[in-house]
Amino acid sequence: FPNLNTSIFSRFIKRYENLKARKNISLITQFFPPDYAATGQLLDDLTRRISSKYQVNFEIYTGMPSYAFKKGIKAKNFVLEKNRLIKRLYISKLFDKTLLGKTLNGVSYCLRVSLTILKRNAFNSELDLIVYSTEPPFLPFIAWLIYKLTKIPYILIVYDIYPDVLTNIGIINENSIFIKFWQLLNFKSFSKASEIIVLSKSMKIKLKKYIKNNENKISIIPSWADPEKIYKINKKNNQFAIDNKLIDTFNVLYSGNQGRCHDLSTIIDTAILLSKDRSIKFIFIGDGPQNSIIKKLVSDFSLTNCIFLPFQEKELLPLTLNIADLALI
């Protein structure tokens, strides 16, 4: 694990040492705890640490839990903590979880949050900075539009590069007018951002086409690992491994979102090739659009070496990750 000094929190602070001068920051992201989405969990941790260390006031505008969350949980639409105000917008959960429904929820959330920010700025101009994630993927356009109207500087945290995602999996033709228009809006959004944060060098290379002669504004900050919370636990002492009978097997683990872009079929192909070896288990923890697809493949091939488990609580991460003899990312 990386040392804490190289975690996203420390890297973020190092890059933005003028945070002490920025007292009021808005964070815009559709998914936030109690959603299990990793994006929201990461930003929750980041805002907690910054607000406690630098006395920065965060206004977090997010949606109601809709991605992956414990059934029956009721999230408050308004939460006030020390230096953090969390406002959840019901409009982000109007439609179902189909691709069309998720798209409409994303558009609704973007429109609602832009009106909220513009209204807030009209009555109080003390907002120093806005930080946007790329969930939903239309948020960079909103960032650019709000900047044009208010001149409030903004940072983009890019977790997924659109429209590349849509063209790579064949949902939309890369030569379509819609894609060309999206790319034009990307150029405007990225070029006006004060800073852009990406997860890796390859993502930075892909984004260079939208930022001419100013690629220094792109920072690479990998997602976190916290060795104080996640550390080696022997499987024989791991209650999660004991409960799921995973002590005496070689465990191949995929933990996280089972999204449309993730190559999960290769894992199932491998499970088919190794189906006669009872000492090897393939464990899938999480959910997503491909969950039903890979479960059907397992059923069609009568595989007994695959185990499916739902998203687990964040507190269980030290146990769930430690069941792996081989972790696939």
Side-chain angles (χ1 to χ4, degrees), residues 267-283:
I267 305 176
I268 300 299
D269 290 343
T270 309
I272 293 171
L273 290 172
L274 298 171
S275 59
K276 293 182 180 179
D277 191 334
R278 295 185 179 181
S279 67
I280 301 175
K281 293 290 184 182
F282 292 81
I283 301 102

Side-chain angles (χ1 to χ4, degrees), residues 85-318:
L85 169 64
I86 303 171
K87 175 69 175 175
R88 294 188 174 90
L89 308 175
Y90 282 101
I91 202 168
S92 66
K93 200 179 176 182
L94 292 177
F95 303 96
D96 55 31
K97 287 189 175 183
T98 62
L99 182 59
L100 177 60
K102 288 179 67 176
T103 302
L104 293 174
N105 282 333
V107 171
S108 302
Y109 169 79
C110 286
L111 293 175
R112 180 68 178 86
V113 81
S114 12
L115 290 174
T116 302
I117 291 292
L118 290 174
K119 181 180 177 182
R120 186 230 186 275
N121 186 70
F123 291 97
N124 187 344
S125 59
E126 293 180 358
L127 198 55
D128 298 307
L129 178 71
I130 305 179
V131 181
Y132 299 86
S133 75
T134 48
E135 196 59 62
F138 320 110
L139 270 183
F141 313 155
I142 299 302
W144 171 72
L145 178 62
I146 291 177
Y147 173 77
K148 295 291 287 184
L149 295 173
T150 65
K151 298 304 178 185
I152 299 173
Y154 64 93
I155 293 172
L156 293 177
I157 303 180
V158 180
Y159 289 110
D160 297 292
I161 302 176
Y162 284 88
D164 300 41
V165 168
L166 302 177
T167 57
N168 287 346
I169 60 178
I171 291 180
I172 304 175
N173 188 295
E174 62 180 344
N175 296 316
S176 70
I177 296 176
F178 176 73
I179 294 298
K180 299 298 181 185
F181 181 63
W182 194 321
Q183 290 172 340
L184 174 64
L185 289 176
N186 274 352
F187 180 79
K188 293 181 178 295
S189 304
F190 293 140
S191 63
K192 292 297 182 182
S194 297
E195 199 81 24
I196 299 170
I197 298 171
V198 296
L199 296 174
S200 64
K201 184 177 179 180
S202 59
M203 291 181 74
K204 180 174 181 176
I205 292 171
K206 285 180 177 292
L207 283 186
K208 283 182 181 179
K209 63 183 177 182
Y210 295 119
I211 305 168
K212 294 181 179 179
N213 305 319
N214 196 13
E215 62 185 61
N216 289 334
K217 71 162 63 178
I218 305 178
S219 301
I220 300 172
I221 305 181
S223 290
W224 53 266
D226 190 338
E228 291 183 357
K229 294 182 179 179
I230 301 175
Y231 47 86
K232 179 67 178 176
I233 299 175
N234 191 292
K235 281 195 290 184
K236 293 181 179 179
N237 301 321
N238 185 339
Q239 192 61 46
F240 192 85
I242 296 170
D243 293 343
N244 290 281
K245 298 184 170 82
L246 296 170
I247 297 176
D248 300 319
T249 52
F250 183 90
N251 303 321
V252 181
L253 173 68
Y254 178 89
S255 178
N257 180 33
Q258 297 162 12
R260 291 180 176 85
C261 299
H262 299 154
D263 183 16
L264 303 180
S265 60
T266 296
I267 305 176
I268 300 299
D269 290 343
T270 309
I272 293 171
L273 290 172
L274 298 171
S275 59
K276 293 182 180 179
D277 191 334
R278 295 185 179 181
S279 67
I280 301 175
K281 293 290 184 182
F282 292 81
I283 301 102
F284 298 84
I285 298 180
D287 203 344
Q290 285 203 62
N291 182 265
S292 59
I293 297 172
I294 56 177
K295 279 183 176 178
K296 186 177 185 304
L297 286 172
V298 168
S299 175
D300 289 345
F301 286 90
S302 302
L303 298 179
T304 59
N305 58 350
C306 293
I307 298 171
F308 292 91
L309 297 169
F311 280 106
Q312 304 295 310
E313 296 289 346
K314 185 178 179 181
E315 292 72 22
L316 291 178
L317 269 179

